[in-house]
Amino acid sequence: MAGFENQAGFTLSNSKLQLAEVIYSDERFILNNVDEIYYNETLNFEKDKETKILALLQAAFNELLIKKPLQSSSVSFALPFELFNVIQIPYDNTLLHQDLIEEFKWEFSVLYPYLSTTDFVIQYFEIEKNNLIDQSSVIVIAIHRKYLQLIHNFCSNNNLKLKFIDNIHVASERALMLNYVSASRGLTMSVYLANKYFSLIFSIDGKPIYFKVIPLNDATEIPSLLLTETSSQKSFNISRNLIDNAYITGEEISETIIHTLNNALEIEFKYFNPFDKINAGPNLFGNKYYAEKFNSFSASAGIAYRLT
């Protein structure tokens, strides 16, 4: 495929570095590597110095390379929920781009008065009014510049070309849409579990209309929280009987969790495989991450699949 570069997708969490690498060979895309390495100690992105984070990240990266060298010089990163601020707010769809950015910054400053908007980079998705949302809205995702600089510094230290940085669930959605035709039809709910957070994205015909990240004390809260989020609310007219497809991904998702959610919500959650539609290199057939833990690599796969 003209213009495609081999690309490695990394997911950075507070405990480990995950990798999914995609190469283009013999006129087809091939999944070349799936792996993960735990750090020597748990990271605290808010409190730890950049030097410590880079040192732990470098050690994990070096271990990955020792096990199997990269065939990619281009890399992309999916970053954890705690590095982002996500809000969904009404907006005036007649505003120009720069006016929208200023409006988002003002909303951001109201919600987070202790943060400086100049320190953040903002991405947004416009959502037109529809039968589920009674006014036009926008999903705003903000990340502090220091985290982008940290990833840039890591790539510079390793002579890597940085292509994309994204939120883990947004990255995972790309893998979902590419692997499952049903995810782009009707109303789809996807749930991502990670560390002390879970998030959900509702999409209509493959286009996101709702995104929310929810902190957790423990996993026992998930069924009741999902029951609330899948009930009709003031500005979001959702009900469980309208959901055509439901998918779940993330860390340590057991059959017990899926069974509990299926019973609590009376919805059949699908445990999706982000590698379902891509050719796998012969070295992966004995790889436990590819064969058994594929669900936890949805963000790495999704960011590796990203072309634009």
Side-chain angles (χ1 to χ4, degrees), residues 244-255:
D244 298 296
N245 308 285
Y247 297 89
I248 188 166
T249 188
E251 288 297 318
E252 307 301 333
I253 298 174
S254 65
E255 293 294 333

Side-chain angles (χ1 to χ4, degrees), residues 39-279:
Y39 312 130
N40 292 329
E41 58 182 288
T42 302
L43 288 174
N44 185 317
F45 292 104
E46 184 178 354
K47 296 180 179 179
D48 288 341
K49 292 182 178 180
E50 179 180 319
T51 51
K52 177 181 178 179
I53 297 173
L54 284 174
L56 291 172
L57 183 58
Q58 187 66 53
F61 180 69
N62 290 345
E63 193 170 342
L64 285 172
L65 294 185
I66 291 170
K67 293 173 70 176
K68 182 177 174 62
L70 288 180
Q71 292 190 35
S72 312
S73 58
S74 294
V75 297
S76 297
F77 280 80
L79 302 184
F81 292 127
E82 57 261 41
L83 304 192
F84 295 88
N85 296 89
V86 179
I87 58 175
Q88 184 161 352
I89 54 175
Y91 86 111
D92 181 352
N93 57 10
T94 65
L95 293 176
L96 299 176
H97 170 76
Q98 192 53 46
D99 294 328
L100 278 175
I101 293 295
E102 293 305 315
E103 174 69 15
F104 301 156
K105 286 182 177 179
W106 182 83
E107 294 278 1
F108 190 86
S109 67
V110 172
L111 290 169
Y112 307 103
Y114 48 89
L115 300 176
S116 172
T117 57
T118 58
D119 292 334
F120 285 77
V121 174
I122 290 175
Q123 176 187 24
Y124 66 92
F125 304 94
E126 297 177 56
I127 301 158
E128 295 298 324
K129 177 182 176 181
N130 55 65
N131 61 336
L132 295 179
I133 298 179
D134 57 14
Q135 58 184 318
S136 296
S137 65
V138 62
I139 298 168
V140 183
I141 305 174
I143 184 171
H144 200 288
R145 295 179 188 276
K146 68 180 181 181
Y147 299 121
L148 304 184
Q149 187 62 50
L150 184 148
I151 299 301
H152 174 79
N153 291 343
F154 170 80
C155 292
S156 295
N157 293 343
N158 291 281
N159 296 314
L160 298 170
K161 177 184 176 183
L162 178 60
K163 295 191 72 175
F164 307 112
I165 295 175
D166 220 332
N167 174 283
I168 49 174
H169 198 166
V170 176
S172 176
E173 281 294 284
R174 188 173 298 270
L176 174 61
M177 295 299 169
L178 286 174
N179 281 277
Y180 294 89
V181 174
S182 59
S184 60
R185 295 175 180 168
L187 178 62
T188 295
M189 175 177 68
S190 71
V191 175
Y192 195 110
L193 306 184
N195 199 12
K196 295 184 177 181
Y197 296 86
F198 90 94
S199 68
L200 70 159
I201 294 177
F202 283 102
S203 302
I204 295 180
D205 298 333
K207 297 180 180 179
I209 61 167
Y210 184 81
F211 182 23
K212 188 172 183 179
V213 179
I214 302 172
L216 289 173
N217 292 312
D218 59 67
T220 61
E221 298 176 318
I222 296 172
S224 62
L225 289 169
L226 274 176
L227 281 169
T228 299
E229 293 296 331
T230 54
S231 301
S232 186
Q233 302 169 39
K234 183 177 180 181
S235 58
F236 189 50
N237 305 313
I238 188 67
S239 60
R240 284 179 288 283
N241 65 320
L242 297 175
I243 297 171
D244 298 296
N245 308 285
Y247 297 89
I248 188 166
T249 188
E251 288 297 318
E252 307 301 333
I253 298 174
S254 65
E255 293 294 333
T256 300
I257 290 175
I258 296 175
H259 181 72
T260 300
L261 294 180
N262 287 348
N263 287 340
L265 278 75
E266 297 182 338
I267 293 174
E268 183 182 353
F269 281 90
K270 299 180 181 69
Y271 182 73
F272 88 84
N273 184 348
F275 307 130
D276 194 48
K277 294 295 190 292
I278 190 169
N279 299 297

